Amino acid sequence: MKKRLLALLMAMVLCVGLAACGQKDPDPTPEAGGTLTAGTYTASKLGMNGQVKVEVVVDETTIQSVKVLENQETPGIGSPLVDGEQEGTIPTLSIPKAIVDNQTVNVDAVAGATITSATIKAAVEDCLTQAGADLANWKTPVEKNGTAITKDADVIVVGGGGAGLAAAISAAAEGATVIVVEKNGAVGGDTLVCGAIYNNPDPALQAKVTMTDAVKTTIENALQVTPVNEEHKALIDEVAKEWADYKASGRTDLFDSEAWFTLQTFNGGDCMAELPLVKEMTYNAIAGYEWIQGLGMEFNDVIGQGAGALWQRTHTSTKQMGTGFISTYVENIAKNDKVEIITSTTVTELVKDAEGKVVGAKGQDVNGNTYTFNAAKGVVLATGGFAANGKMVEENKDAEKWTVDLSKMPTTNRWSCSQGDGLAMATAVGAQLTDMDLVQLLYLGNLKDGGLTKYPPRVVNGTDQEIFINKNGERFVNEGGRRDEICLAVLQQPDAMFYFLESADGDYVDVKSAITADGFTFQQMEEEGYIIVADTLEEMATKLGCDAATLKATVDAFNASVDSGEDAYGRTLFTTKLENGPFVATPRQACVHHTMGGVKIDTECRVLDADGNVIPGLVAAGEVTGGIHGGNRLGGNAVVDTVVFGKLAGETIAK
């Protein structure tokens, strides 16, 4: 008590002294116990993609408001989708509201967006500290009083990524009521962070592409592959006839067809996929493309060759990464009263009835509520693969092919999405798994965390306008080759990394005005070290730490290949010499990207048991399935998979 009286007396003396000097009273120092200095405070913290700036307004005892003023977090995950708010919980919106509602920073992180959530809370804590808070008084846990909830629908979709949302829309179109259950705070899954490329033959756009002699060799070589069965032989014969007709016609535009797309996909997967499933995808790719466009999806009007796509039949979304696909689905679902989305809820088991039919699922949300989902028609399993589960990948991989420890390798996937939990649920009800040893790496991961972020547009869809060089300034692989072959080559380079090297030449996109797929400017990429820029090759060599003569010889040799159409590494796609600055080098590494194995399905997406029999009431679509891509998935085929089989799964279960 004496100490407190003494402190008050000293404060009074100070105030009198200041008043005598004509100065204003200083802001009072808050006492322990929650008192704050009223005002508006701001703080910035580093989030997933950049600085997140937060504003906090307080009075003496209360947090009045919290706002995220600036951020570059991934749309649909850390921040709202480009086209309005998204179904579910977005941290830049929900974390501020939860803090104000509960008067504590000890609120739950948004599932699937934990980094952004933690960043916002840290910034709010900074603001409270500025206001003189004792943070211990602002970290009271939020009480959770979970209850048992039962929900009924015709169809329960487990997983709200691309395949799950496509299934929900198509099931509803057949008249079914649908509930989509998503474990993350918002729908989107790994589709949100994909390269947003979609393959299908497109005569109108491919008519603008000239067929070169070098590209023709790709077809000639494919026709020489020894067939593995009669169905494969019949497919080769069909393509051979189409190719002969094309040559006889005198055409010079790019050859393509459903049969050729199928043969490339099957051959490109080492003939290990189930050809009927491959056909289901490739022969319906055009219909899927038209279907999603009918829903409002927009693509660029230029055909390209996506990374690892092997042919110029790749369409690219007009929006950042996979946000175009997900926003299209979300906007359609928002207008459909037959579909309900429940987020932040993890399904833990599928439920069978006495006759062996899957009739629902059980789970729990982040607030402790337990759910029983009853499905009158059945369940769509669309939980994704297991590429982010390093232990699972390492245990199942083909050890002869991948000699490195994949459990220690970064992944391009969202950790919260690709954990393989759907596979455990499926096997618990008797589902058969297939191709579990088939794992794909991708060479587009950044060196920071492996994410598919901050790279110039040509890197993902401009294979004809760049080369790959190692730290010594040397080419080492066919840039238009298979993803697995490129990744195996990358792993043999110094420090297991390489650079995409492009110049200001070419017509895919102006290099300096480019905006990345995740919304970053050329200047931001350079400032943050995601790209290296130089006006000359000599300057580039200095910045990369390699020999200038070696780098120049590498580029000169490639430019000669553009003229001759012949390449030491077997490349067939040439359109652009690298001659004029600025030159741009994008450092990248190989990362675990896609798991080709999963539950075994038939051509109607029905899940099969160990004896090959259909499990009633259970269908599956997307990366949770196996048998479609074989030993190597072509770039751009994953999104086709989600659209074609997602739509088909919804139709099958609804009927």
Side-chain angles (χ1 to χ4, degrees):
M1 178 65 73
K2 289 182 179 179
K3 289 183 179 180
R4 181 172 176 80
L5 288 173
L6 180 60
L8 287 172
L9 180 60
M10 291 177 65
M12 290 173 64
V13 172
L14 178 61
C15 288
V16 171
L18 289 172
C21 295
Q23 298 182 33
K24 294 182 179 179
D25 293 351
D27 291 334
T29 301
E31 297 178 11
T35 304
L36 303 169
T37 301
T40 300
Y41 303 89
T42 61
S44 294
K45 299 291 182 181
L46 182 62
M48 187 71 182
N49 295 331
Q51 292 293 319
V52 177
K53 185 177 182 180
V54 170
E55 175 192 88
V56 177
V57 179
V58 301
D59 61 19
E60 286 78 5
T61 59
T62 310
I63 301 174
Q64 293 289 304
S65 72
V66 176
K67 295 179 182 177
V68 175
L69 300 180
E70 300 173 8
N71 79 95
Q72 286 186 289
E73 302 303 87
T74 306
I77 301 176
S79 63
L81 275 175
V82 176
D83 293 331
E85 295 185 12
Q86 185 176 356
E87 289 282 353
T89 306
I90 300 297
T92 52
L93 302 176
S94 64
I95 296 295
K97 183 178 185 304
I99 290 173
V100 174
D101 288 349
N102 295 284
Q103 292 296 296
T104 177
V105 292
N106 191 6
V107 298
D108 285 334
V110 174
T114 53
I115 293 177
T116 303
S117 300
T119 300
I120 296 169
K121 290 194 287 184
V124 172
E125 289 184 11
D126 189 326
C127 291
L128 291 175
T129 299
Q130 294 175 48
D134 179 351
L135 289 180
N137 296 317
W138 298 94
K139 292 187 176 182
T140 305
V142 178
E143 291 186 13
K144 298 179 181 180
N145 299 307
T147 59
I149 300 171
T150 299
K151 305 282 289 187
D152 302 317
D154 292 328
V155 175
I156 302 299
V157 178
V158 184
L165 297 179
I169 291 171
S170 66
E174 297 294 331
T177 57
V178 183
I179 295 175
V180 179
V181 189
E182 169 58 44
K183 67 179 179 180
N184 288 313
V187 296
D190 276 329
T191 304
L192 268 174
V193 295
C194 74
I197 55 177
Y198 185 106
N199 293 334
N200 65 270
D202 189 325
L205 292 180
Q206 289 171 326
K208 302 175 184 178
V209 180
T210 301
M211 188 87 172
T212 66
D213 290 338
V215 172
K216 291 176 184 177
T217 62
T218 301
I219 300 176
E220 301 288 357
N221 292 337
L223 296 177
Q224 302 305 312
V225 171
T226 302
V228 297
N229 54 38
E230 287 301 314
E231 190 174 14
H232 189 200
K233 182 180 183 303
L235 179 62
I236 293 173
D237 291 343
E238 182 178 357
V239 174
K241 181 180 183 307
E242 292 176 345
W243 180 232
D245 291 343
Y246 168 90
K247 291 189 291 184
S249 72
R251 289 170 51 191
T252 59
D253 61 318
L254 188 68
F255 168 82
D256 205 1
S257 70
E258 287 94 340
W260 172 228
F261 184 17
T262 304
L263 184 61
Q264 273 200 300
T265 299
F266 188 66
N267 286 359
D270 298 321
C271 305
M272 298 171 70
E274 296 181 34
L275 193 47
L277 290 177
V278 177
K279 284 185 174 181
E280 188 66 40
M281 179 179 71
T282 53
Y283 276 83
N284 288 289
I286 295 175
Y289 180 69
E290 293 171 346
W291 176 71
I292 197 168
Q293 281 186 307
L295 295 178
M297 177 71 187
E298 296 180 351
F299 294 90
N300 291 316
D301 60 355
V302 177
I303 204 78
Q305 181 171 315
L310 305 186
W311 201 251
Q312 290 175 277
R313 62 169 70 94
T314 303
H315 302 79
T316 306
S317 170
T318 60
K319 296 179 181 175
Q320 296 179 27
M321 303 185 78
T323 60
F325 291 95
I326 300 304
S327 62
T328 297
Y329 290 139
V330 167
E331 288 168 3
N332 279 269
I333 288 173
K335 297 179 288 187
N336 194 328
D337 59 7
K338 290 185 176 295
V339 182
E340 177 184 1
I341 293 178
I342 298 176
T343 59
S344 300
T345 302
T346 301
V347 171
T348 54
E349 64 176 302
L350 302 176
V351 178
K352 272 186 172 183
D353 65 11
E355 285 73 42
K357 178 184 177 182
V358 175
V359 294
K362 292 184 178 181
Q364 182 172 328
D365 69 13
V366 294
N367 295 315
N369 298 308
T370 58
Y371 281 85
T372 298
F373 298 101
N374 296 318
K377 293 179 178 291
V379 172
V380 178
L381 191 65
T383 52
F386 57 96
N389 188 329
K391 180 180 177 182
M392 195 172 180
V393 169
E394 179 65 19
E395 289 175 349
N396 284 281
K397 74 175 185 182
D398 178 352
E400 291 186 8
K401 181 174 185 177
W402 303 112
T403 57
V404 297
D405 186 350
L406 298 186
S407 70
K408 294 183 170 67
M409 183 170 286
T411 178
T412 62
N413 292 262
R414 297 171 62 190
W415 184 89
S416 60
C417 295
S418 300
Q419 289 294 324
D421 40 355
L423 299 178
M425 288 187 283
T427 54
V429 295
Q432 179 184 167
L433 301 184
T434 184
D435 296 342
M436 290 294 288
D437 61 328
L438 304 181
V439 177
Q440 181 177 73
L441 273 59
L442 180 62
Y443 48 88
L444 290 175
N446 69 53
L447 301 189
K448 175 184 176 183
D449 57 21
L452 297 180
T453 55
K454 299 189 181 80
Y455 51 74
R458 280 192 241 197
V459 167
V460 70
N461 204 16
T463 308
D464 57 318
Q465 301 180 45
E466 62 196 6
I467 59 174
F468 301 172
I469 60 171
N470 60 23
K471 296 184 76 172
N472 298 327
E474 303 163 326
R475 281 182 71 205
F476 58 91
V477 74
N478 171 9
E479 293 86 353
R482 291 168 37 146
R483 288 180 167 183
D484 57 346
E485 293 174 351
I486 292 174
C487 287
L488 286 167
V490 168
L491 293 174
Q492 300 302 313
Q493 303 312 304
D495 295 334
M497 59 81 64
F498 74 106
Y499 300 93
F500 290 92
L501 183 65
E502 58 181 303
S503 67
D505 306 285
D507 58 4
Y508 181 74
V509 66
D510 177 64
V511 66
K512 275 210 164 183
S513 66
I515 301 295
T516 74
D518 46 341
F520 288 79
T521 66
F522 186 90
Q523 182 179 355
Q524 286 174 306
M525 284 191 292
E526 183 179 11
E527 289 175 350
E528 295 185 29
Y530 286 93
I531 59 174
I532 297 95
V533 183
D535 290 328
T536 66
L537 285 175
E538 290 76 11
E539 181 187 1
M540 179 61 76
T542 298
K543 289 186 174 183
L544 298 185
C546 66
D547 179 66
T550 299
L551 180 59
K552 186 177 185 305
T554 295
V555 173
D556 287 346
F558 171 75
N559 289 342
S561 293
V562 177
D563 288 330
S564 67
E566 298 179 359
D567 182 66
Y569 295 94
R571 176 166 167 165
T572 60
L573 189 59
F574 306 96
T575 63
T576 306
K577 292 182 180 180
L578 307 182
E579 296 179 309
N580 299 292
F583 293 90
V584 181
T586 305
R588 293 283 130 167
Q589 65 176 329
C591 299
V592 180
H593 180 60
H594 193 95
T595 47
M596 281 78 79
V599 297
K600 192 174 182 63
I601 59 171
D602 64 11
T603 55
E604 295 180 69
C605 294
R606 298 179 298 181
V607 177
L608 307 179
D609 65 16
D611 297 319
N613 300 314
V614 170
I615 298 176
L618 184 61
V619 301
E623 199 174 342
V624 74
T625 65
I628 298 169
H629 302 288
N632 172 65
R633 179 180 64 76
L634 302 195
N637 276 8
V639 177
V640 181
D641 181 351
T642 63
V643 173
V644 171
F645 286 108
K647 178 175 181 290
L648 178 59
E651 293 167 349
T652 296
I653 203 69
K655 293 176 181 178

